[in-house]
Amino acid sequence: MGIFSVYVVNKAGGLIYQYDNNVPRTEVEKTFSYPLDLVLKHHDEKVVVSFGQRDGIRVGHAVLSINGVDVVGKNTTDGKDIMEYLKDSSNYPVSIRFGRARLSSNEKLMLASMFHSLFAIGSQLSPEVGSSGIEMLETDVFKLHCFQTLTGIKFIVLADPRQSGIDALLRKIYEIYSDFALKNPFYSLEMPIRCELFDQNLKSSLEIAEKAGNFGAGS
């Protein structure tokens, strides 16, 4: 079980806080001979697999390193263009590490805004007035839990489907927000949360919830 990440979205749909707690990473490193038997393409400033799957490498996986040198965007950290490098037969054999690339800050901002809109659509689709909106989305590998306050702030937790006690954890995070963000004289409403005490108490609460499997009253 595990809690993967936490998002806080303001009432306008802006991401004001995000923390990756325990994001699983599936990575595969293989040595290839020329020609490369995978088709790569540029996508969202990354080099990703567009065709061909083998040995745990999947379509959508990004190139994370080449010959042990990390990749940033379309280039290695030592300045090599990935696509050009892999076209040159003299560079083979080559060791390539593939995996799910971490979301960029811009991608997180965009996804938070999209969920805000989806939440509003969910409320409008309700056959009854006063719908709470989307409280949970479930996939085969994670659940998205959402708690919206009366003022429109959304607290979102992504967790393992087997993790229990998330509803209580969401309210605990709201309590931490009230105590260490709202009561901070230097914090402005609706703006990004940058408070060390908020960070510390959030991380502590996530650790307790993961170890206990739930987050009981009085925690």
Side-chain angles (χ1 to χ4, degrees):
M1 293 190 293
I3 298 167
F4 302 141
S5 53
V6 176
Y7 293 75
V8 182
V9 180
N10 66 22
K11 64 183 179 182
L15 181 65
I16 59 174
Y17 186 85
Q18 195 278 326
Y19 174 65
D20 288 325
N21 178 60
N22 183 24
V23 180
R25 298 200 71 181
T26 302
E27 298 179 357
V28 180
E29 187 162 6
K30 295 290 180 183
T31 299
F32 296 86
S33 56
Y34 186 83
L36 187 66
D37 57 353
L38 298 169
V39 179
L40 306 178
K41 69 174 183 178
H42 289 140
H43 178 71
D44 289 339
E45 299 301 315
K46 303 180 185 74
V47 176
V48 302
V49 178
S50 64
F51 182 80
Q53 300 190 148
R54 54 168 289 189
D55 304 322
I57 301 169
R58 300 285 182 261
V59 170
H61 276 185
V63 176
L64 302 179
S65 73
I66 294 179
N67 292 331
V69 179
D70 288 341
V71 164
V72 178
K74 301 176 182 178
N75 302 294
T76 59
T77 52
D78 57 2
K80 295 184 178 69
D81 181 287
I82 297 169
M83 298 293 272
E84 293 300 320
Y85 185 84
L86 295 176
K87 287 178 183 177
D88 189 344
S89 60
S90 66
N91 291 324
Y92 288 76
V94 62
S95 176
I96 309 176
R97 180 164 54 94
F98 292 91
R100 170 71 184 272
R102 291 190 182 276
L103 294 173
S104 68
S105 297
N106 285 338
E107 287 170 329
K108 291 174 181 177
L109 289 168
M110 178 187 69
L111 291 171
S113 177
M114 290 175 65
F115 180 77
H116 175 76
S117 300
L118 187 61
F119 187 97
I121 291 171
S123 298
Q124 292 172 0
L125 287 173
S126 172
E128 298 289 340
V129 297
S131 169
S132 65
I134 296 171
E135 294 183 345
M136 186 181 73
L137 293 175
E138 183 172 1
T139 75
D140 57 338
V141 294
F142 76 93
K143 285 184 180 178
L144 181 153
H145 304 260
C146 178
F147 168 63
Q148 179 174 259
T149 70
L150 294 175
T151 56
I153 301 291
K154 296 178 183 65
F155 297 90
I156 301 167
V157 168
L158 273 60
D160 187 291
R162 299 166 293 177
Q163 180 73 40
S164 60
I166 299 297
D167 287 345
L169 174 62
L170 283 165
R171 283 160 178 77
K172 180 65 177 180
I173 296 172
Y174 177 35
E175 180 184 315
I176 293 168
Y177 168 76
S178 299
D179 288 343
F180 300 103
L182 293 184
K183 293 179 182 178
N184 185 336
F186 301 104
Y187 177 67
S188 299
L189 285 174
E190 306 293 315
M191 298 303 291
I193 301 169
R194 297 186 178 92
C195 174
E196 186 175 346
L197 286 175
F198 178 87
D199 292 338
Q200 291 174 354
N201 282 272
L202 173 66
K203 292 174 186 178
S204 176
S205 296
L206 295 179
E207 288 175 6
I208 293 171
E210 284 191 319
K211 289 177 182 177
N214 57 60
F215 206 98
S219 297

